[in-house]
Amino acid sequence: MTATNGAGEPVYVYRFGGGVSDGGKGDKNLLGGKGANLAEMASIGLPVPPGFTISTAMCARYYEEGEAFPESLRAEVANGIAHIESVTGKTFGDPANPLLVSVRSGARVSMPGMMDTVLNLGLNDATVEGLAKVSGDPRFAWDSYRRFIQMYADVVLGLDHDRFEEALEIAKEDRGYFLDTDLTAADLKALVAEYETLVEELWGKPFPQDVHDQLWGAVGAVFGSWQSERAKVYRRLNDIPGDWGTAVNVQAMVFGNMGDTSATGVAFTRDPSTGENGYYGEFLINAQGEDVVAGIRTPQYLTRAAREAAGAKPASMEEAMPEVYAELAGVFDTLERHYRDMQDIEFTVERAKLWMLQTRSGKRTAKAALKIAVDMASEGLITEEQAIARVDPAALDQLLHPTLDPDAARDVLTKGLPASPGAASGKVVFDADTAEKMAASGEDVILVRVETSPEDIHGMHAAKGILTARGGMTSHAAVVARGMGRPCVSGAGSLSIKGKDGVMRVGEREVKAGDVITIDGSTGEVMMGAVPTVQPELAGDFGTLMTWADKVRRLKVRTNAETPADCRTAREFGAEGIGLCRTEHMFFDAGRITAVRQMILASDEAGRRAALDKLLPEQRADFAEIFAVMAGLPVTIRLLDPPLHEFLPHEDAEFEEVAKATGLEVEALKRRAGELHEFNPMLGHRGCRLGVTYPEIYEMQARAIFEAAVEVAEKSGAAPVPEVMIPLVATAKELELMKAVVDMAAEAVFTDKGRRIDYLVGTMIELPRAAIRAGEIAEAGEFFSFGTNDLTQTTLGVSRDDAARFLGVYVEKGIYARDPFVSIDVEGVGALVEMAAERGRRTRPDIKLGICGEHGGDPASIAFCEQVGLDYVSASPYRVPIARLAAAQAALAK
Ligand code: ADP
Ligand code: MG
Ligand code: MG
């Protein structure tokens, strides 16, 4: 990775600007993100102040050598400085015409926790006079020096920042000033003297006057910051390897604070929150560096349109500096065409001359990512396939969730910042641990904090939404929430939160822990109660991207659904069939439960059949409704799976009801219920074991399925394709027996109705034995559906319902890379899936293979399914579009 010079020594310094670009097209691994993009901008002829990058390889070497630099680096850096001097015509440390530089850190990925940039380096008691003369602006020179000492003392020397702020405040107070800008050159000169005294007092040595000492001090501080606690924590949270290292960028200063023809600003080439194709940004006249984001002065809009839309007075850059603005707009277009992506840009204008200081691919919301990808493909900047690859399927989740019903009544409690889009309702909780606990027991919660910190991450993850009283659009809460796709309202300043007492107040109104609130992360509104929501629409860009995805994907996408409403939602989201229709929910229906209980508690077959006869028409009606919605598409129906005890009566009243229906004694029923008790129901009398012991249950379900199918085929003309699925099969014999029951029921119905329907009988593969014996099982089974929830439980020997207590630690310690119930354990469970698929196909080459566990909606698991060549994945209705996109990406990646 590191280049070498003629003598075979590694090269660490790469120059850029003034027609030179040692880093060529910019290798991010070597030059860091910032350095690579500076080199790349320079190489395509954009105006970049000249500079050089000390590569990331030096960072590793710096630590190898005990936090010291190799001798060879001195000559390389001197060469880099000479390059800047020759391009600018200024000399580093020369009191007559001093060169000033910035020293900027830059890892491969942008990383908070690293050293802050030092500006104006190269000023000392002598060069400040030179700068005053050359610029003709002594105030500017002394202000630059004042800022430099303050920054250097803070970020390089690590001295107490407050002491310098204090001195600045006192200087203003003493003179009766209000603003920094009121300070005159003479005032600033006096302040510099005070700063120098302060440095000596706090550091024990005078402020470094040798500009080379200043430079090496700053370079060392950048490399030193790579191992700072803040940087380490950030790396840990974001899976950034510790050996990447950071680069250091040294660059000629340009000044946005040289009067009214100078300015500094930040911009996005498209709107990062909506994706709208228009320049988006802010700038400040006569300002330097961080002034724009520091919030001391209110920045002005870039474009006239944006200014007018906001109803703001101060001139936009387009109006105030039309020529420079036009040049900047040209640069935006060049950069977008070059990088073929939306760019996040920093620029400075020095006396009407434009300079580019940074560019990178801009962070964006899911909505913007989608729009930008689709627009850029339509504009011909990228291909449809690249557009597909650009959008993170998991982020689509943000767009798929219901938004607040615009017609619903709202009781608005307060308003904060719209920090992360989407709406959420839930019970108020004031700490992350409680949020996690309540969410684990199935409750929707809104995590409410004064502000969040990294210790709250687990609670933020568990919560449906996040509300904070403090912090802006880039606060921890906002950034993390956007990353997770959680709705967030931040900085709701009128909230007074007393988490310890379990209350928050807005004026007179009080909200207690456990009260339900709704937040709208798109408007910032906080409302009392649960506000009703409406379905999102899959039209527009979303629909377009989905069409493109559908063209390239091979995997079919089905849904897990058992109500007509869910089936309809799933079809709207593009489901191509049902991969899992569970039938037990149908048994819980209030109108049927007594008949179900009667069936379970019956002591003989005749008693069971009497109860099943009552259930048959109900089941038939359920299936008919679903078949009607899914007409023409395959529908996989799983026969009864759960342990019977789940349906047992608990209350005396419930027993009495069953007694009345059956004519049996309550006591006898209770005895029978006791007999059904199981020590380990998960491994007990469930799945096809029910069908083996009581075939009449499956027989009734099969009849209901086929009668419904014939009925719908007759009515609509589009016959559904039932795929009858036998659960929890371990042996071929079980499946043979159950298939015979189903086939017999089918024949009976077809003969009776005088009409045949195509159907399949297959099995779920959810036990390791079934995967191992898949070759035999495929003799009777016409399809396999991998039930990876149970397969994960049975392969890992981990109960999903009890895993919360230890699985987090397992993931933390890297035992499993991700929660194996969320993303398939490829080496273990995945190996069984692959083996079963292979063995099944050997017996029956056209066997249909799918996955119906939770994993069917997880992009990483979908990539695995593509790899082993399954025919389809099945996901919950809201995850269907995610699965379609993930399947397309998986096909493209192959
Ligand atoms: P960050 O990664 O935090 O954005 P940067 O190194 O980009 O840090 O810089 C911080 C600020 O200083 C930015 O506003 C940037 O534009 C400005 N800056 C950096 N280098 C220079 C320079 N050579 N001349 C003028 N401004 C600069
Ligand atoms: Mg920057
Ligand atoms: Mg199962």
Side-chain angles (χ1 to χ4, degrees):
M1 152 172 122
T2 305
T4 50
N5 63 17
E9 294 158 34
V11 170
Y12 293 111
V13 167
Y14 296 80
R15 303 165 305 163
F16 57 81
V20 172
S21 178
D22 292 337
K25 290 279 280 158
D27 170 0
K28 284 202 172 100
N29 296 350
L30 184 65
L31 302 176
K34 201 176 284 166
N37 287 331
L38 285 168
E40 199 161 344
M41 283 200 289
S43 76
I44 58 173
L46 294 179
V48 174
F52 60 87
T53 302
I54 308 177
S55 79
T56 56
M58 187 66 240
C59 190
R61 178 113 188 236
Y62 175 78
Y63 282 104
E64 266 164 34
E65 311 215 333
E67 310 195 12
F69 298 108
E71 207 34 52
S72 66
L73 189 67
R74 310 237 160 228
E76 283 196 72
V77 166
N79 190 25
I81 291 287
H83 163 66
I84 308 179
E85 289 175 338
S86 92
V87 177
T88 57
K90 300 175 186 174
T91 306
F92 197 44
D94 177 8
N97 188 17
L99 167 68
L100 305 192
V101 296
S102 65
V103 176
R104 321 169 66 183
S105 61
R108 286 191 209 182
V109 291
S110 142
M111 225 178 91
M114 300 293 301
M115 190 199 81
D116 291 328
T117 296
V118 174
L119 301 177
N120 307 330
L121 188 142
L123 281 172
N124 59 25
D125 296 347
T127 54
V128 67
E129 303 282 4
L131 182 66
K133 241 183 250 132
V134 179
S135 66
D137 188 347
R139 191 194 174 279
F140 153 74
W142 285 99
D143 188 42
S144 301
Y145 193 21
R146 189 274 300 173
R147 288 172 186 249
F148 170 52
I149 298 177
Q150 193 167 344
M151 267 187 178
Y152 198 91
D154 179 21
V155 306
V156 180
L157 305 181
L159 307 182
D160 183 3
H161 183 68
D162 293 342
R163 297 289 301 273
F164 293 83
E165 277 299 327
E166 233 172 67
L168 175 64
E169 284 312 309
I170 291 170
K172 287 194 287 185
E173 247 166 55
D174 284 353
R175 295 168 175 87
Y177 299 156
F178 186 61
L179 297 170
D180 290 8
T181 43
D182 294 335
L183 292 161
T184 65
D187 298 336
L188 289 161
K189 189 170 176 176
L191 185 58
V192 162
E194 273 184 58
Y195 274 9
E196 288 182 333
T197 314
L198 252 182
V199 169
E200 199 154 354
E201 177 197 323
L202 297 172
W203 194 41
K205 280 185 278 184
F207 186 78
Q209 290 293 316
D210 181 323
V211 296
H212 294 97
D213 288 348
Q214 292 175 357
L215 179 62
W216 286 103
V219 171
V222 174
F223 286 140
S225 69
W226 179 254
Q227 296 293 8
S228 69
E229 274 320 302
R230 277 200 304 161
K232 283 190 204 163
V233 167
Y234 185 83
R235 284 201 290 274
R236 202 169 50 235
L237 285 175
N238 292 278
D239 290 330
I240 298 171
D243 60 7
W244 277 7
T246 180
V248 183
N249 302 288
V250 178
Q251 187 176 29
M253 281 301 299
V254 288
F255 299 100
N257 52 342
M258 278 191 145
D260 287 345
T261 56
S262 301
T264 186
V266 295
F268 289 87
T269 54
R270 301 183 190 219
D271 187 322
S273 74
T274 64
E276 220 52 61
N277 188 1
Y279 309 136
Y280 176 92
E282 298 172 330
F283 86 117
L284 267 179
I285 291 181
N286 197 9
Q288 188 176 44
E290 309 281 63
D291 292 355
V292 176
V293 281
I296 308 162
R297 284 161 60 192
T298 310
Q300 291 153 244
Y301 289 94
L302 219 54
T303 63
R304 183 174 159 183
R307 176 184 71 74
E308 284 173 350
K313 287 255 151 52
S316 66
M317 184 174 179
E318 188 174 5
E319 294 156 302
M321 312 181 153
E323 274 141 46
V324 188
Y325 172 80
E327 189 188 348
L328 183 63
V331 171
F332 289 169
D333 292 346
T334 305
L335 285 173
E336 267 211 353
R337 272 200 309 279
H338 181 76
Y339 287 100
R340 295 163 190 276
D341 197 5
M342 184 264 271
Q343 296 294 296
D344 168 355
I345 288 162
E346 290 171 12
F347 64 89
T348 281
V349 180
E350 178 181 316
R351 293 189 167 149
K353 162 90 181 107
L354 175 67
W355 293 102
M356 302 308 298
L357 291 172
Q358 192 172 329
T359 192
R360 61 183 167 200
S361 281
K363 292 222 178 339
R364 63 205 77 180
T365 61
K367 184 175 174 194
L370 189 70
K371 177 156 178 55
I372 290 170
V374 170
D375 283 355
M376 285 194 165
S378 311
E379 291 158 26
L381 275 179
I382 57 176
T383 62
E384 287 179 9
E385 295 190 349
Q386 284 169 323
I388 290 168
R390 283 274 170 92
V391 180
D392 173 11
L396 290 183
D397 211 26
Q398 282 179 46
L399 306 177
L400 289 168
H401 282 290
T403 50
L404 292 182
D405 180 351
D407 300 328
R410 297 176 186 206
D411 172 9
V412 178
L413 187 65
T414 182
K415 210 169 162 187
L417 298 168
S420 177
S425 301
K427 291 185 177 168
V428 168
V429 293
F430 293 109
D431 71 280
D433 290 342
T434 311
E436 193 176 41
K437 246 180 253 141
M438 285 174 66
S441 65
E443 295 199 74
D444 290 349
V445 300
I446 304 288
L447 178 63
V448 181
R449 304 282 293 157
V450 174
E451 55 196 336
T452 62
S453 72
E455 286 93 79
D456 294 322
I457 301 267
H458 61 294
M460 297 173 75
H461 196 87
K464 291 281 175 226
I466 296 139
L467 169 63
T468 68
R470 262 193 239 139
M473 296 288 288
T474 54
S475 62
H476 180 266
V479 171
V480 173
R482 283 197 292 272
M484 288 178 177
R486 293 286 177 290
C488 174
V489 173
S490 69
S494 64
L495 274 185
S496 147
I497 300 174
K498 299 261 173 337
K500 286 225 167 59
D501 308 337
V503 298
M504 60 179 183
R505 291 195 184 80
V506 180
E508 302 282 271
R509 303 188 69 176
E510 193 176 276
V511 181
K512 290 201 210 48
D515 288 352
V516 174
I517 60 167
T518 299
I519 62 168
D520 186 342
S522 313
T523 64
E525 281 178 321
V526 181
M527 290 143 282
M528 290 305 296
V531 177
T533 51
V534 290
Q535 300 289 342
E537 258 200 76
L538 281 203
D541 299 324
F542 206 128
T544 308
L545 191 77
M546 284 297 136
T547 320
W548 295 347
D550 290 348
K551 277 196 273 185
V552 301
R553 75 182 154 91
R554 182 194 61 81
L555 277 169
K556 295 257 180 221
V557 176
R558 297 195 192 178
T559 191
N560 299 349
E562 45 255 338
T563 66
D566 280 356
C567 292
R568 243 172 258 122
T569 307
R571 277 207 82 162
E572 274 161 29
F573 284 167
E576 297 164 294
I578 292 184
L580 176 62
C581 172
R582 304 172 174 95
T583 51
E584 47 272 16
H585 298 261
M586 302 168 173
F587 280 53
F588 276 114
D589 188 286
R592 308 175 189 174
I593 187 74
T594 304
V596 173
R597 286 172 177 159
Q598 184 184 341
M599 169 198 70
I600 295 168
L601 294 172
S603 46
D604 56 14
E605 187 183 328
R608 269 192 301 277
R609 282 196 183 275
L612 287 167
D613 284 345
K614 292 187 205 165
L615 289 171
L616 175 67
E618 307 264 2
Q619 279 262 281
R620 186 172 55 220
D622 293 331
F623 294 136
E625 263 190 290
I626 288 172
F627 288 148
V629 179
M630 304 305 290
L633 297 177
V635 176
T636 305
I637 295 167
R638 179 179 72 187
L639 301 186
L640 196 64
D641 181 33
L644 293 180
H645 78 98
E646 285 192 13
F647 300 105
L648 285 179
H650 304 286
E651 319 277 324
D652 282 346
E654 291 170 345
F655 275 106
E656 271 154 29
E657 213 173 307
V658 181
K660 223 168 41 215
T662 55
L664 294 170
E665 295 288 323
V666 168
E667 279 319 303
L669 289 174
K670 284 192 171 166
R671 211 175 318 114
R672 175 86 181 115
E675 283 164 20
L676 286 167
H677 170 80
E678 290 185 321
F679 288 101
N680 199 342
M682 208 36 132
L683 302 177
H685 192 185
R686 57 172 283 223
C688 68
R689 296 159 201 172
L690 291 174
V692 169
T693 46
Y694 306 133
E696 55 280 4
I697 300 177
Y698 280 10
E699 184 192 318
M700 179 282 285
Q701 289 197 290
R703 263 185 67 189
I705 291 169
F706 294 115
E707 287 178 0
V710 170
E711 185 187 311
V712 170
E714 266 163 11
K715 253 194 240 153
S716 70
V721 189
E723 299 183 352
V724 181
M725 180 153 77
I726 313 298
L728 215 71
V729 159
T731 67
K733 187 79 188 169
E734 288 169 309
L735 182 58
E736 268 166 45
L737 286 172
M738 293 302 100
K739 181 172 173 3
V741 170
V742 174
D743 286 341
M744 234 160 69
E747 280 312 314
V749 171
F750 297 159
T751 315
D752 185 33
K753 305 273 175 194
R755 180 173 185 137
R756 304 191 70 83
I757 294 278
D758 287 335
Y759 71 97
L760 300 177
V761 180
T763 180
M764 243 170 154
I765 301 287
E766 50 189 336
L767 295 175
R769 193 184 193 285
I772 293 164
R773 305 306 296 170
E776 283 161 15
I777 292 175
E779 277 165 25
E782 294 163 303
F783 67 86
F784 287 168
S785 176
F786 292 97
T788 48
N789 294 347
D790 263 323
L791 190 58
T792 300
Q793 295 202 100
T794 52
T795 302
L796 272 50
V798 169
S799 149
R800 188 157 56 131
D801 306 313
D802 301 309
R805 267 176 235 156
F806 54 87
L807 214 49
V809 177
Y810 266 58
V811 173
E812 223 166 79
K813 298 203 164 165
I815 298 171
Y816 293 117
R818 289 186 59 196
D819 180 340
F821 290 103
V822 172
S823 198
I824 197 164
D825 156 38
V826 172
E827 292 94 8
V829 177
L832 284 174
V833 170
E834 194 169 2
M835 179 175 73
E838 201 250 327
R839 292 186 178 179
R841 281 211 177 102
R842 223 183 294 151
T843 303
R844 187 188 287 271
D846 65 344
I847 191 167
K848 227 191 236 190
L849 300 173
I851 182 173
C852 64
E854 219 58 39
H855 302 95
D858 167 61
S861 309
I862 292 171
F864 166 78
C865 295
E866 171 69 32
Q867 227 143 41
V868 297
L870 301 192
D871 297 304
Y872 69 87
V873 298
S874 188
S876 63
Y878 279 101
R879 296 196 76 84
V880 165
I882 295 173
R884 285 161 74 193
L885 182 58
Q889 290 182 348
L892 288 174
K894 237 185 151 181

